[in-house]
Amino acid sequence: MNFLPGWFPGGATKAFPLVVGTPAIFNTEGAAEAHTIPLPSGIAAGERLLIFFNGSGVNQTPSGWTKIIENTGTGAGDLCVFSKIASGSEGASVSVSVQSGSSVNVAAITYRVSGAGDIEGTAGSLATSVPPNPPSHAASWGADKNLWFAVGAASRAGTTTMLSTSGPSGYGNNQEAQTPQAIPSARHLMCASELAYEATDTQDPGAFTLAATPTNSVGGTIVIRPT
């Protein structure tokens, strides 16, 4: 028997994965090697948790988490995304360490997503003097009621803020985390926007709009399949 896309026996309809609760924002006040990143409150078993993390030389995945994408370069403005399926006993925070021996400030945003299945993504290349521009990504499982995230990491030498004025065109619920001061030598910015989209298997988000030109930036595109 053939069924229409998104329709299942008994009248059930497949739903998009849904961001639940309020994303938690982390801005360091000082440089460190290990950072205690807050998680959203109300975590329930079975939800998918996400950490969007901007820190130089990030390469240490927290225990129980999986690294989805990573782009690390020689300067600040690097991007790493970690994810896990929640057990419900995660607590209020998770420790994330940057490259051993490094001491940097970071910006991070954490999410909890219900109805989330597989996850994958693509990291772009480190760029200079331009806002983060997430690359194209095609979901390996094809078109579905997929939840997409456009994410951007950036750094700027000095004290000028870079807070994004908007996410890529068509994306919404823009979230921003920016270090409050230039420690040791640059501000760090992490930004993320989301889109529920099922028409095709591919997204190529546009660039974020920033209030000031960053020194370095990198974008990433993440897709989550519905359960």
Side-chain angles (χ1 to χ4, degrees), residues 71-119:
N71 178 283
T72 56
T74 57
D78 302 328
L79 170 67
C80 199
V81 176
F82 304 104
S83 183
K84 69 171 293 188
I85 298 298
S87 65
S89 59
E90 279 71 21
S93 63
V94 59
S95 179
V96 180
S97 295
V98 298
Q99 187 173 4
S100 180
S102 297
S103 182
V104 301
N105 57 325
V106 305
I109 308 171
T110 59
Y111 285 79
R112 42 186 282 252
V113 181
S114 67
D118 295 336
I119 182 173

Side-chain angles (χ1 to χ4, degrees), residues 4-21:
L4 295 174
W7 185 90
F8 293 86
T13 301
K14 184 184 291 189
F16 285 100
L18 179 67
V19 172
V20 290

